[in-house]
Amino acid sequence: MTGVSAVTPEVRAAFDDHLARTDETGATALALGLLRSGAAAEDILLRLIAPAQAAVGARWMSTEWSVAREHAATHVSERVVSAVAAEAATARRPHDCAPARHIVFACVEGERHTLPARIAAEVLRLRGFDLTFLGAHVLLPRLMAQVHRQGPDLVALSCMIPVCLPATHPLIESSRRAAVPVLAGGSGFGPGGVWARALGADLYAPDPAAAAESLAVRWPQAPREVAPLEHLADEEYSRIVHERAELLRRLHARLRERYPRLREPGAEHAEAVLEEFGRLPDVVAAANYVDDPRVLTDFLSFGGEFLHARGMPTAALVDALAALSGPLGGLPRAASHLDAGRRWLSAAGHAVPPD
């Protein structure tokens, strides 16, 4: 994208207003109006829809918007992406998109945040790549059936939440065994894509434009063997997964005991808080899988902001780690990660209130 963007602050404000009112017709008309007046489709995707959707997420995080309102606005954004992509495809001349390398693009198993992936896929398509988008929560058999059927030049995987990392690893390994290199993208792969590399991805891109530019400059080479994750031989990860139900029971019991509000039927945000804490055993498992406590500390950072916005003491995070420390104390790596989490919380100023 070059030159002055057609997405001015006024245009952004108007689009935000359409999302706030769940006005699909108005949002679509605005985006297509920009496109028909000469704005680049990529500009609309990356400078209008993507930041507007980030603002939607921030409104949910702050509790300004309910989950239902956030979902409704996201649906509008998805519809606008489809409309922009369809119009851009119609306007594209046949020789603009041939010959092209073929990419199969999927959200990893467990990943249901499709909008960032869809935007990235459409940017790659606009840059001239032939692309098949498989959507959300793609299981290994479905991905490999597509790989064997189409014989793509690349598999692109989107992961926005680190708890999906263990399920992502087989997708990467199986694609590479089929001699197809893997591009990874999304915040779930960690700072700078550190966990993408740990799981064997051939390339990581922090954003759609960077992905397109990297592929244009250097296509990944044929996959080479990657060293296995040797730490998994201790079976700690498998034990955490096996004990998940008990960990969750202990976690919820401790939180309900220490924070009576969570026991009150219909208490505001109580269900959302317990649901968010319910992810913690999976977060610990993912940290164990890639052997990196940053998976846990990143969740704690998010959790502090989440709890504060909902009127819950952030010290509940310390209580939550304590609930898991007993049953996981005999697992050295898991215990080390929980200790790292406690140190992070202490440094951030979160302390357990006195009994």
Side-chain angles (χ1 to χ4, degrees):
M1 293 179 294
T2 59
V4 178
S5 173
V7 183
T8 64
E10 293 77 18
V11 168
R12 258 298 312 278
F15 190 77
D16 288 348
D17 182 62
H18 289 306
L19 293 185
R21 292 185 289 110
T22 321
D23 178 10
E24 180 183 331
T25 300
T28 303
L30 187 154
L32 293 183
L34 289 174
L35 190 62
R36 291 162 185 167
S37 66
E42 184 174 329
D43 204 31
I44 296 169
L45 294 171
L46 296 183
R47 293 182 177 172
L48 178 65
I49 302 173
Q53 192 60 30
V56 167
R59 292 186 181 103
W60 166 80
M61 184 67 164
S62 70
T63 73
E64 178 185 348
W65 283 12
S66 67
V67 172
R69 192 174 182 187
E70 180 270 326
H71 283 1
T74 300
H75 175 73
V76 171
S77 292
E78 289 171 342
R79 298 283 290 177
V80 176
V81 169
S82 295
V84 170
E87 181 115 347
T90 300
R92 199 176 303 140
R93 296 184 301 274
H95 67 267
D96 289 338
C97 53
R101 292 183 183 266
H102 183 68
I103 300 172
V104 167
F105 201 124
C107 295
V108 302
E109 181 178 346
E111 180 58 75
R112 300 186 185 277
H113 296 87
T114 58
L115 187 57
R118 179 69 192 283
I119 289 174
E122 294 306 334
V123 168
L124 290 171
R125 206 190 307 271
L126 288 166
R127 295 289 188 102
F129 296 102
D130 181 25
L131 191 138
T132 299
F133 184 64
L134 300 183
H137 182 54
V138 176
L139 303 179
L140 179 60
R142 183 182 174 203
L143 176 65
M144 295 318 298
Q146 199 74 31
V147 165
H148 292 306
R149 183 181 305 117
Q150 293 190 324
D153 299 293
L154 182 78
V155 165
L157 298 175
S158 176
C159 176
M160 301 303 294
I161 49 175
V163 294
C164 296
L165 290 171
T168 299
H169 194 195
L171 302 181
I172 294 174
E173 286 191 322
S174 296
S175 297
R176 300 182 83 254
R177 287 196 190 103
V180 182
V182 175
L183 165 68
S187 57
F189 285 112
V194 60
W195 303 320
R197 288 187 288 275
L199 298 182
D202 299 279
L203 186 65
Y204 171 80
D207 57 69
E213 289 157 10
S214 295
L215 293 174
V217 171
R218 181 181 63 84
W219 196 263
Q221 296 179 353
R224 302 185 303 275
E225 286 295 323
V226 176
L229 300 179
E230 294 183 357
H231 60 270
L232 294 179
D234 61 18
E235 297 188 350
E236 283 198 19
Y237 169 75
S238 299
R239 290 179 60 184
I240 297 171
V241 172
H242 180 71
E243 296 174 18
R244 182 183 187 279
E246 176 62 15
L247 294 173
L248 194 57
R249 186 195 67 77
R250 286 173 173 261
L251 176 62
H252 282 173
R254 182 178 179 100
L255 292 172
R256 288 190 173 105
E257 175 188 359
R258 294 190 65 93
Y259 303 95
R261 169 186 163 191
L262 298 179
R263 301 197 301 266
E264 298 172 7
E268 187 179 22
H269 303 308
E271 183 179 352
V273 168
L274 288 173
E275 181 181 355
E276 203 58 44
F277 271 115
R279 304 181 197 279
L280 187 55
D282 300 322
V283 171
V284 174
N288 199 277
Y289 196 93
V290 296
D291 199 20
D292 192 334
R294 285 178 293 179
V295 175
L296 176 58
T297 56
D298 283 357
F299 175 82
L300 296 175
S301 177
F302 165 84
E305 185 180 350
F306 180 90
L307 291 176
H308 178 75
R310 286 152 184 80
M312 278 286 295
T314 56
L317 293 167
V318 186
D319 278 316
L321 294 187
L324 302 183
S325 292
L328 297 181
L331 305 181
R333 286 192 300 110
S336 174
H337 295 156
L338 290 170
D339 284 341
R342 279 189 287 271
R343 290 194 300 272
W344 186 92
L345 288 171
S346 177
H350 304 298
V352 178
D355 291 317

